[in-house]
Every structure is written in C-alpha cells, then in structure tokens.
C-alpha cells in the first residue's frame, strides 16, 4: 500500500487520478442525461439556433433601384412616320396573292415597307405561291419596342411579320406564314 501511495504522490500518479476522475464524471453525465431513446440531452450543447434561409442573391431583400430592363424602349421615329400597326397592315395587304400581277409589280408594292434584306429574300418568290388572298382580322402586336412582332389573321392562317425601327420609320425585316 505504501508503494501505491508513493506512486500517487508523483506527478504521474496525480495525472492518473485526474484521468480516472474525468472518466467517472463523463460516464455519470452520460448515464444521468441519457433520455432512453439513444439521443442524449448533451448532443446539442448550448443554445439551439434555427437555420436562416439563404438566397442566391444576398441583396435580394434590398429591392431594385436600377433601370427596368423588361420594358422595351420606344423607338425613335421621324415626324409623320406611320406607326407599326399601319406599316404591318399595309405590307400584309401588299403581300397577298393577286391574280394577274407580275413578280416585279408585286415586289414594287412591298418595297416601301420592307428592309433591303427582306427584298433580297423575296427576289425569286412567285406571287402566285403566296398562300392567302385575304386578311381576315386586325393586326395583333407583340413585344412592342425597337423590334416588334405583328400577327395578322388571314384566310387559311396567320401572317407573322417582324418589324424594326430603322432610319426613323418602321420596316418589315422578316416574314413568316403559320397555317391554321
């Protein structure tokens, strides 16, 4: 026994006693605080904090004080220039199939409201191949802005025109036919 007491009096003995005391305290703590469901109360030591929802944009809650990019700016037109609806309707009526008209006469009727690129695309078009000969409703505009789409109901389908403001006036830059 004397040997054991002498051993406990050394620094190694004191360290061993402290380790045993810590193990006993931890063991008792786990036993006393065990809830019986396998989760102990000390699994989450300290205050519990709810998760904070995060956003991809940390500044989303501040609002937007910038320029509204969803609105299309109004195009700059010359004084007295026809509006987009008038140009689309005039072009669509000139594009219709008309018996007995030559290709040159037909293209001359389109030229005032068409871009040079569109006139090049229509250079070899036979007016007899136009799929309709009558407009049946009013023009419907989409995406009104520097580039606007006009949909015009016609017999057998819809004429779809893309118009762009160029040189202070509206020009048809694209032509499509959608069968009904």
């Amino acid at each position: 026994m004397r040997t054991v007491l002498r051993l406990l009096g050394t620094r190694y003995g004191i360290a061993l006693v402290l380790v045993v005391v810590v193990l006993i305290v931890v063991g008792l703590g786990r036993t006393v605080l065990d809830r019986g469901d396998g989760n102990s109360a000390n699994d989450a030591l300290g205050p519990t904090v709810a998760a904070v929802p995060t956003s991809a944009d940390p500044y989303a809650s501040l609002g937007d004080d910038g320029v509204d990019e969803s609105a299309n700016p109004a195009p700059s037109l010359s004084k007295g220039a026809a509006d987009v609806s008038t140009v689309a309707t005039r072009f669509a009526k000139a594009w219709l199939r008309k018996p007995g008209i030559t290709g040159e006469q037909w293209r001359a009727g389109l030229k005032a409201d068409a871009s040079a690129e569109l006139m090049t695309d229509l250079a070899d078009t036979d007016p007899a191949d136009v799929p309709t000969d009558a407009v049946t409703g009013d023009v419907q505009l989409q995406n009104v802005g520097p580039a606007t789409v006009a949909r015009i109901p016609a017999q057998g389908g819809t004429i779809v025109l893309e118009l762009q403001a160029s040189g202070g006036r509206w020009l048809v830059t694209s032509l499509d036919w959608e069968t009904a």
Side-chain angles (χ1 to χ4, degrees), residues 43-170:
D43 283 348
L45 295 177
T48 303
V49 180
V52 177
T54 59
S55 161
D57 180 9
Y59 304 107
S61 65
L62 297 178
D64 183 13
D65 61 351
V67 176
D68 183 10
E69 295 174 0
S70 64
N72 292 326
S76 175
L77 300 176
S78 298
K79 188 174 183 175
D83 68 341
V84 67
S85 180
T86 301
V87 172
T89 303
R90 189 170 53 208
F91 182 88
K93 288 181 178 179
W95 180 74
L96 298 174
R97 181 178 61 236
K98 297 174 187 80
I101 193 171
T102 67
E104 290 78 28
Q105 292 169 328
W106 179 71
R107 279 183 282 284
L110 299 173
K111 189 173 184 176
D113 295 317
S115 67
E117 295 83 15
L118 181 58
M119 290 308 297
T120 302
D121 292 344
L122 296 173
D124 296 326
T125 303
D126 183 358
D129 292 338
V130 174
T132 188
D133 59 3
V135 169
T136 60
D138 294 330
V139 65
Q140 299 164 351
L141 301 176
Q142 298 172 335
N143 304 327
V144 178
T148 300
V149 175
R151 300 177 62 81
I152 305 157
Q155 187 175 6
T158 304
I159 303 167
V160 181
L161 305 175
E162 184 175 319
L163 297 97
Q164 291 186 353
S166 176
R169 63 190 188 108
W170 287 104

